[in-house]
C-alpha cells in the first residue's frame, strides 16, 4: 500500500474570498469489523412508554470503523461529544474541493466471513475505485475478501461540495446496508467556512426498528448540541428501501432554490446538507415525519443553549 | 387568556413594490371536537363504478374546528364555496410575513377523552408553543387534556412565507393524524399579492381509503373552481406514512428552481405552494399519481370557466 | 383523420442565441398492440447469480408501438443502438418549444379487447386531447375502444421544455400501466442544443420484478453507450405506485438549483432530465438506489469509451 503525501497548492485568492485553503491529500484508514450492537441501549421508547429487552434490540453485525495509520488501533468513528455513537455510522470523511482522498480499507469481518467494499458518492474516481460488485466487469475494489485490503483513490472535484453517502456495494451489499455499513463524506467548497457543529443524520430501517445512526427512540438516538450564535450543519441521508422526510422543530431553512422549508424528502442514498446560524434556545425534536417511522424510533433531540 | 391587539406598522415602502401591508396580530380560536365523518358521502367511486355503504365509510373521529371569539360558536373551517368540506381539514390559518399569530386552542374531545395539541410548521415560536409531547421536556402545550386550553404564540418570520402544515403532536398523535387532526397555514410575503382562489389539498390515508381533505373519489373530494384570468394558488401537503405525487391535468408550473413541472413528490409533512394565472377552461383532474392511491380515492376535479 | 402540415415560422433570432429553429407540426402514428413480452430475456440475475425460467418472466401485455403514416407498418419504437428495446417503452416523442404535435392513436388491442388512451404530461392541449376517462366529463379521447382511433392535438408551450411522461389514462389504466403502456416526450427549448446521446429510463414494477424500460437485471436492462466528449441526456421517470432514487456511478450533475447531486427521488409520473458532457471512460452502473428495487432488477450498465 503506497502512501501518497503530495500536497498541491491552489493559487490565486479571489479579492472577495477568504484566503485559499491549500489542496492536499487526506488519508483515512477504515476496516470492516464485526461488532455486537444495541439499537435501543436504554431499553425504552420514552414517548410511547414502551419497554424493550436486549433480546429485541441486540444483534451481531459488521460496521466500518476508523483506525490509526496501517490499521494500527481502532478509533472512535466520530469525535467525542458529537452526539453520534462511536460505531455507527462509519467515520465522517472530510475534505475540501480540490483535495485528493485515499481511503485505505481492510476487511476484518472474520465473524460473518463476507466480502465487503466501499462505494463513495459525490467524488470523482476511476472504475477501479468504484467499489461495486458486478461479475465480469468489476475488480477487487468491489469484492474485498476477509483479510484483504483495497485503497480507494478519490478526488473532491468542482461538483463534490456537499454531504454524500458511502456504503458497502459488494456481493453482500443488501445485508450489509441493513446491518449498518454506511457513513458520510462531508466536502466543503474550497473557501467555504467550516461549521461550528456538524451533525450526521442517517435514516435506515434496522429489523423492526427505524433508526437514526443505528439507534431508535429519544434517549438512544444522537443528542445534538449547540449554542446560540453557532453555525450548525446537518448532513442528512437515507439508506435502505424507504423514503423519509427530515424535520427539525422550531427551525426552518432556505433550500438551494431559495424557498423556506422545514421538512424535506430524503430517499435511499439521497443526501442533503442543511445549515443555519443558531438563534433559538431550547430542547427541540428532530425526526423523520413518516408516522410509522417516528413510532418505530426515528426521532431524537437537539439542545440549544444560550 | 389575554387578548393581544397590538398593531405594528412596517415602514419604508419600496419604490418598486405595492404599498406595505401593516403587520398585525391575528387571532384564531380553534377546538378539538368529536364528529361523525363520512369519507365517501355519495357512496360511489364514479371512475371504477364501485359502490360503498356507510358501514365502509362512516367513522367517529376528532377534528379541529374554527370558533368565534372565546369558543363562542362553531364556524365552518373554510369559506363557503371554497370546495373544501366544513370539517376537514382544520381552519386555514392566514398571515403575512411580519405578523404575529395567537392560536387559542381548546380540547373539547369528550368522546374519545384524549389529550391533544397543535404543532405548527414554518413559523417562529418558543418551546412553550411547540405543541409536541416528550415526557421530561415538554409542557402543557404538547398535552392539552380534555376541557383545557392553550394559546400558541407564533410569528410569521422572514422565512415563513409559504404553505405549511399544522397537526396534533400530543400523546395520541398517530391516531389523531390518521383521524384528520391537521390543517394548513398560508403565509404571504409582506407585499405579496393574495391569490383570487386558494385551494387546500392534503393527501392522507384514512382506513382503507386514500383521501384528499378527508374525502375519497371524484364527486366527494373537493371540486375546486376558477375563471380564466384568475390567480389560483394550491396549498399542498401530506400527512401519514406515505409519499405522494401531486399532479394537475392540462396545467404545468415552474418550480422555484425555474424548471417546469406538472407532477411533484410530497412526503409526510412536506408542503408546497403552486400558483398560476389561469388560462385553460375545462374540467380537469387533479390527483395523486401513485396508482394505488388514485385507485383508493385520491383524485378530484378542477373546473375552470371562461 | 385530417392531416395537418402547417409550418409556422418563429421569427426574430436573438443576437446572443443560435439561429432560430423553425416551429413546425410533428406527426406521430402510434397503436396499442398486444405482444408477448419477456422481462428477463437472458434468464439471469448476474449480480446475485439467480436463474429464472420463462414461466417466471414471460407474459402477454399491450404496448404502444410506433407506426408509419396511417398505421401502415409497425416500426421500432426507438432507433437501433439506443439501448432501449424496440417494444417498451413507447416511442420517444420529440419536439421543440413552439411546435405542434399530432399524435394519431389507434387501439389494435384485439387480444385483451380493452379500451385505451394516451395522456400526455408537460404539453398544452384542450380537454378533448386530455386522454383521461371520467364518466360524465370525458369524451372519446379517454376511452378509445378496440378498432377506434383518436388524434391528440398538443402544443409544446413555453413551459414544456423537458422530459415528460405519457401513459394510458383510460378505463383500464391501472392494468395498462403495470403492463407497460407508457413512454416519454422529450421537448427541447427553442434554440437548445440537441444531445449527442439520449437515454430513456423508466422505473416501474412488473409483477415480482422491478424493471427499467420493462427489463430486469444487468444484461437485460438497456446498455447505454457514449464516448468521452459527447453531450449525454438521461430522460428519467417512474410509473406505478412506488418512489425511486435515480443514481449513476462515477458521475454527478448540478440540479436546476445549482446543487451537485448524484441520486434523486423520482415518484410516479415525476420526471427529470439530466445532462452532462461525458469525460469518464469505463463501465458504470446506473440504478434505482432503493435496495429492494435493485435486488428485484432495477439496475443496468452505462459504457463510456474514450
Amino acid at each position: 500500500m503506497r502512501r501518497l503525501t503530495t500536497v498541491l497548492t491552489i493559487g490565486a485568492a479571489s479579492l472577495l474570498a477568504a484566503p485559499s485553503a491549500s489542496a492536499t491529500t487526506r488519508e483515512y484508514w477504515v476496516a470492516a469489523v464485526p461488532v455486537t450492537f444495541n439499537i435501543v441501549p436504554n431499553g425504552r421508547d420514552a414517548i410511547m412508554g414502551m419497554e424493550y429487552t436486549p433480546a429485541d434490540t441486540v444483534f451481531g453485525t459488521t460496521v466500518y470503523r476508523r483506525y490509526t495509520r496501517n490499521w494500527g488501533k481502532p478509533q472512535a468513528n466520530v469525535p467525542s461529544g458529537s452526539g453520534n455513537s462511536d460505531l455507527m455510522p462509519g467515520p465522517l470523511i472530510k475534505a475540501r474541493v480540490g483535495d485528493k482522498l485515499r481511503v485505505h480499507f481492510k476487511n476484518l469481518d472474520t465473524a460473518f466471513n463476507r466480502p465487503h467494499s466501499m462505494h463513495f458518492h459525490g467524488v470523482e474516481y476511476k472504475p477501479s475505485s468504484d467499489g461495486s460488485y458486478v461479475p465480469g466487469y468489476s475488480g477487487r475494489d468491489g469484492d474485498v475478501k476477509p483479510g484483504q485490503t483495497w485503497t480507494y483513490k478519490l478526488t473532491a472535484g468542482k461538483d463534490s461540495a456537499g454531504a454524500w453517502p458511502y456504503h458497502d456495494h459488494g456481493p453482500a451489499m443488501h445485508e450489509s446496508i441493513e446491518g449498518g455499513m454506511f457513513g458520510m463524506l462531508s466536502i466543503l467548497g474550497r473557501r467555504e467556512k467550516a461549521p461550528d457543529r456538524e451533525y450526521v443524520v442517517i435514516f435506515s430501517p434496522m429489523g423492526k426498528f427505524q433508526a437514526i445512526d443505528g439507534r431508535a427512540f429519544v434517549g438512544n438516538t444522537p443528542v445534538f448540541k449547540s449554542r446560540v450564535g453557532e453555525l450548525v450543519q446537518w448532513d442528512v441521508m437515507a439508506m435502505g428501501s424507504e423514503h423519509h422526510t427530515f424535520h427539525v422543530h422550531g427551525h426552518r431553512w432556505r433550500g438551494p432554490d431559495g424557498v423556506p422549508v422545514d421538512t424535506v424528502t430524503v430517499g435511499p442514498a439521497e443526501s442533503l446538507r442543511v445549515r443555519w446560524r443558531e438563534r433559538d434556545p431550547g430542547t427541540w425534536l428532530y425526526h423523520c415525519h413518516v408516522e410509522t417511522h417516528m413510532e418505530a424510533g426515528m426521532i431524537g433531540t437537539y439542545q440549544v443553549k444560550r
Side-chain angles (χ1 to χ4, degrees), chain A residues 8-293:
Chain A
L8 306 171
T9 305
I10 303 296
S14 149
L15 286 170
L16 294 170
S20 169
S22 292
T24 188
T25 295
R26 299 171 190 263
E27 290 187 279
Y28 282 83
W29 302 80
V30 177
V33 292
V35 295
T36 297
F37 195 82
N38 191 345
I39 303 180
V40 190
N42 76 1
R44 312 188 50 232
D45 170 1
I47 292 179
M48 301 306 289
M50 298 272 287
E51 303 284 329
Y52 294 94
T53 65
D56 297 317
T57 66
V58 176
F59 64 110
T61 188
T62 304
V63 299
Y64 292 118
R65 186 148 196 185
R66 191 170 185 178
Y67 274 72
T68 58
R69 180 171 304 280
N70 280 314
W71 302 283
K73 289 184 194 165
Q75 292 186 293
N77 277 347
V78 287
S80 164
S82 71
N84 288 100
S85 88
D86 66 344
L87 288 176
M88 205 181 291
L92 181 61
I93 293 181
K94 293 179 164 192
R96 278 192 184 271
V97 167
D99 288 350
K100 291 186 185 306
L101 279 161
R102 295 292 176 270
V103 183
H104 309 286
F105 174 64
K106 187 168 193 174
N107 185 349
L108 296 176
D109 181 7
T110 49
F112 297 94
N113 208 38
R114 289 179 181 141
H116 291 294
S117 78
M118 298 182 82
H119 168 67
F120 300 87
H121 289 241
V123 285
E124 300 176 4
Y125 54 81
K126 293 192 175 149
S128 59
S129 286
D130 184 61
S132 57
Y133 172 75
V134 189
Y137 294 106
S138 57
R140 261 185 50 206
D141 58 296
D143 189 15
V144 183
K145 298 195 193 313
Q148 293 182 341
T149 66
W150 193 259
T151 293
Y152 298 94
K153 300 178 181 177
L154 316 169
T155 301
K158 66 179 173 54
D159 286 349
S160 298
W164 304 94
Y166 67 84
H167 56 86
D168 190 0
H169 212 308
M173 170 181 184
H174 303 300
E175 296 87 342
S176 293
I177 286 182
E178 175 144 20
M181 285 194 74
F182 45 69
M184 292 190 86
L185 295 142
S186 174
I187 300 176
L188 295 174
R190 206 168 276 179
R191 293 176 180 82
E192 192 175 21
K193 190 173 168 44
D196 298 308
R197 306 271 182 164
E198 184 164 8
Y199 315 127
V200 173
V201 172
I202 304 177
F203 294 127
S204 79
M206 292 210 152
K208 66 182 178 182
F209 300 101
Q210 292 283 345
I212 295 173
D213 300 340
R215 293 275 159 79
F217 306 118
V218 164
N220 302 290
T221 48
V223 178
F224 298 122
K225 296 180 182 185
S226 76
R227 288 183 175 276
V228 169
E230 290 181 332
L231 180 64
V232 303
Q233 178 175 316
W234 302 73
D235 302 333
V236 183
M237 70 122 169
M239 279 281 126
S241 298
E242 291 162 89
H243 279 72
H244 307 272
T245 46
F246 173 65
H247 174 48
V248 184
H249 282 222
H251 294 74
R252 63 226 72 73
W253 60 90
R254 288 189 182 257
D257 56 9
V259 172
V261 291
D262 71 0
T263 307
V264 291
T265 285
V266 190
E270 230 175 4
S271 54
L272 68 144
R273 206 179 75 168
V274 173
R275 284 183 159 208
W276 62 69
R277 181 70 61 181
E278 188 52 72
R279 53 177 205 164
D280 290 301
T283 295
W284 305 100
L285 291 170
Y286 68 91
H287 58 90
C288 172
H289 217 298
V290 172
E291 292 291 309
T292 50
H293 295 180

